[in-house]
Amino acid sequence: MLKIKNLHKSFENLEVLKGIDLEVNKGEVVVIIGPSGSGKSTLLRCINHLETPKKGAIQISSTKVDAEKSNKKDIQSLRRETAMVFQNYNLFKNKTALENITEALLVVKNMTKDEAKEIGEKLLVQVGLKDKRNSYPSTLSGGQQQRVGIARAMALNPQIILFDEPTSALDPELVGEVLNVIKELALNNITMLIVTHEMGFAREVADRVIFMDEGYIVEQGIPEEIFTNPKHDRTKKFLNKIV
Ligand code: ADP
Ligand code: MG
């Protein structure tokens, strides 16, 4: 489903991704952990070309974008195959919960208002926000806003959803409701790549855990392996610090 090959990214002289190889299968939930600054967000942002890689290739289904010979059309289809859920929700402040979800359906898919509304309302039910359809983001809690963000990400039916620390801006008591929505998606066979510091959640939801440090994938495996029997010192050190 997703295939990343020898991905490199630099900001000026700072090399942030130093040759990432990663494959994610359809329906798989892959969690990325690692210290701050290790390149996790940059990796997600390179996948949908919010950042332009310096070298390497990204392939989602039949769309392949090679950094050395990319074109706009392929980048556009790559973006269409992905959706991103951000740390700070990034909702449209002047749109209701429902409008936030239907916007892309109207603009990108040229659906009629009724068609978009039907899908939007279904998604609101799925994230437990049926009653909030006409609420503006400022009147919603952080957890509710993030659930709208997740519904919005699902609206275009992407091949893969990328989550960048979806709960790290939330008050502790609101983290659970968002993680529960993501867990439910996992049960529904949605393909996801999730950056998180929630180790309990990672353990529960991940098919595979990836530990990143200093621009490299240091090790990966099933949660049990990574959390109870990490092989690399850097992974051990990171987990000792965080748990
Ligand atoms: P993580 O998400 O693992 O905390 P990031 O991918 O955000 O790490 O950042 C990796 C490194 O790249 C950090 O040193 C960060 O300061 C740097 N970086 C990220 N984005 C930019 C940018 N737009 N311009 C310059 N440096 C950046
Ligand atoms: Mg980050």
Side-chain angles (χ1 to χ4, degrees), residues 1-195:
M1 146 90 50
L2 168 68
K3 207 181 255 186
I4 301 172
K5 248 184 140 170
N6 196 27
L7 188 72
H8 289 256
K9 172 71 185 172
S10 299
F11 294 106
E12 314 262 313
N13 291 327
L14 180 69
E15 199 180 11
V16 175
L17 300 178
K18 301 173 181 167
I20 299 286
D21 291 296
L22 173 63
E23 291 188 16
V24 179
N25 297 316
K26 194 170 167 58
E28 197 179 14
V29 178
V30 175
V31 168
I32 303 177
I33 60 173
S36 176
S38 55
K40 305 180 299 296
S41 295
T42 304
L43 173 60
L44 292 192
R45 295 167 62 82
C46 281
I47 292 173
N48 59 11
H49 277 64
L50 280 178
E51 299 287 355
T52 310
K54 186 169 91 181
K55 206 173 133 189
I58 313 269
Q59 182 174 358
I60 297 175
S61 296
S62 59
T63 307
K64 186 171 177 183
V65 177
D66 196 316
E68 258 115 59
K69 43 184 188 228
S70 64
N71 64 61
K72 267 196 181 148
K73 196 172 142 272
D74 287 341
I75 289 175
Q76 208 172 40
S77 24
L78 199 72
R79 288 203 176 124
R80 269 191 202 166
E81 305 287 7
T82 60
M84 189 133 167
V85 174
F86 299 90
Q87 188 174 341
N88 296 312
Y89 334 128
N90 285 12
L91 298 178
F92 302 113
K93 300 212 170 355
N94 58 341
K95 292 189 190 301
T96 64
L98 182 64
E99 287 166 349
N100 263 280
I101 299 168
T102 55
E103 174 72 8
L105 295 172
L106 299 169
V107 175
V108 180
K109 290 226 166 154
N110 292 320
M111 282 185 187
T112 66
K113 273 197 169 163
D114 284 345
E115 288 169 333
K117 205 171 121 193
E118 196 186 325
I119 294 177
E121 280 175 349
K122 252 187 216 154
L123 288 167
L124 278 172
V125 171
Q126 210 175 328
V127 298
L129 291 175
K130 191 172 152 227
D131 301 338
K132 299 292 183 186
R133 57 196 294 274
N134 295 322
S135 301
Y136 287 90
S138 62
T139 69
L140 299 173
S141 73
Q144 291 168 335
Q145 288 184 60
Q146 190 58 299
R147 285 188 277 151
V148 174
I150 293 170
R152 182 181 58 178
M154 289 170 62
L156 287 174
N157 208 7
Q159 298 273 355
I160 183 165
I161 305 184
L162 312 169
F163 293 83
D164 193 1
E165 299 195 24
T167 60
S168 60
L170 297 174
D171 292 335
E173 72 269 22
L174 302 178
V175 168
E177 67 188 58
V178 171
L179 295 182
N180 283 336
V181 166
I182 301 174
K183 275 184 218 165
E184 222 161 277
L185 300 186
L187 293 176
N188 286 326
N189 249 12
I190 310 261
T191 313
M192 301 189 271
L193 190 52
I194 307 172
V195 174

